[in-house]
Amino acid sequence: MADLQAIVARVKNALVSSGPAPSHKAPVAPSLQPDGHRAELVSRFAREVEAVGARIIGPVAPEQLADRVAAIVRERGLKSIAVGEGVVVDLSRVGKTLSESGIEVIRTGSVDGSTRPELRKQLAQVDAGLAEADYAIASTGTLAVLSDETRPSALTLLPPASLVVVRVDRMKADLASALAALGHAALESHRLTLITGPSRTADIEKRIVMGVHGPKSLDVIVVWPRDD
């Protein structure tokens, strides 16, 4: 027992005299790259999106968005689609146009504990999901989507086809800039989904298989207001 007490005493003295460990130093804030010219950001974002197997559409004017989404739905042969609430873009007009063209439209709306299981079941059976990204990251072709009750994370994860809208002024140079724009409060209170291309895996025989763990296709529609 005396030996154990001596060992503990030596450890305590060593900790007091050595000061804080290197890993306890305050983290260095990441440098934020300037967003630069929007056209350059969109061009870089488009290259990265196509490199990971997704498709980019646009730039599209806000008044053209509903017709462009309807064209994508017809092209891909989709019969049903779930439409979430927009961030800065009004997606209700898109849902109305799709519904009038004979497409089954499910609006995610506001859910609670009793209605969430039924919505999740519908999202697992629908052909596609339409959501708006909070921000796009040009350096990696990534979409950052915060989830809430009107825009659940299942909207971009469960349907086999995913359509994501992002407005040009929500384009950021890199992940650090996007996280800074989202802010600590939003990140602490919402789940963040980062989407880089369609779902793919090489778990079996190292062969790339699409759509096993998420959407098999991803269409990104960039909205650019004419007066911007």
Side-chain angles (χ1 to χ4, degrees), residues 55 57 60 64-78 81 94 97-98 101 103 163 219 221:
R55 183 172 65 167
I57 293 97
V60 175
Q64 298 174 333
L65 177 61
D67 290 338
R68 293 299 293 269
V69 171
I72 297 170
V73 169
R74 288 195 300 271
E75 177 190 346
R76 292 200 176 276
L78 306 174
I81 187 169
V94 179
T97 298
L98 292 174
S101 64
I103 302 298
L163 286 69
D219 290 300
I221 304 103

Side-chain angles (χ1 to χ4, degrees), residues 6-188:
I7 292 172
V8 172
R10 287 200 298 273
V11 171
K12 288 182 176 178
N13 291 335
L15 290 175
V16 170
S17 59
S18 61
S23 60
H24 291 172
K25 292 181 179 177
V28 178
S31 60
L32 304 182
Q33 296 184 19
D35 288 342
H37 196 277
R38 285 177 182 170
E40 295 177 3
L41 281 180
V42 173
S43 178
R44 185 179 183 187
F45 177 73
R47 288 197 302 271
E48 298 298 328
V49 164
E50 292 175 347
V52 294
R55 183 172 65 167
I56 188 163
I57 293 97
V60 175
E63 61 271 21
Q64 298 174 333
L65 177 61
D67 290 338
R68 293 299 293 269
V69 171
I72 297 170
V73 169
R74 288 195 300 271
E75 177 190 346
R76 292 200 176 276
L78 306 174
K79 303 299 183 185
S80 59
I81 187 169
V83 180
E85 293 295 326
V87 180
V88 292
V89 174
D90 181 13
L91 296 183
S92 62
R93 182 179 175 186
V94 179
K96 183 173 182 292
T97 298
L98 292 174
S99 182
E100 290 174 348
S101 64
I103 302 298
E104 179 186 357
V105 176
I106 299 170
R107 296 305 308 269
T108 55
S110 181
V111 297
D112 54 28
S114 62
T115 58
R116 185 171 291 107
E118 178 58 27
L119 175 61
R120 192 171 296 158
K121 181 180 178 181
Q122 292 178 321
L123 292 176
Q125 297 174 343
V126 79
D127 290 340
L130 172 64
E132 182 183 358
D134 292 82
Y135 291 98
I137 302 169
S139 62
T140 56
T142 300
L143 299 156
V145 183
L146 282 181
S147 302
D148 60 26
E149 60 181 11
T150 66
R151 198 169 41 140
S153 57
L155 179 64
T156 58
L157 297 175
L158 291 182
S162 185
L163 286 69
V164 180
V165 173
V166 63
R167 218 170 74 161
V168 66
D169 57 351
R170 314 287 284 191
M171 194 79 61
K172 296 296 178 183
D174 52 26
L175 177 61
S177 300
L179 294 179
L182 288 167
H184 291 292
L187 292 171
E188 289 178 354

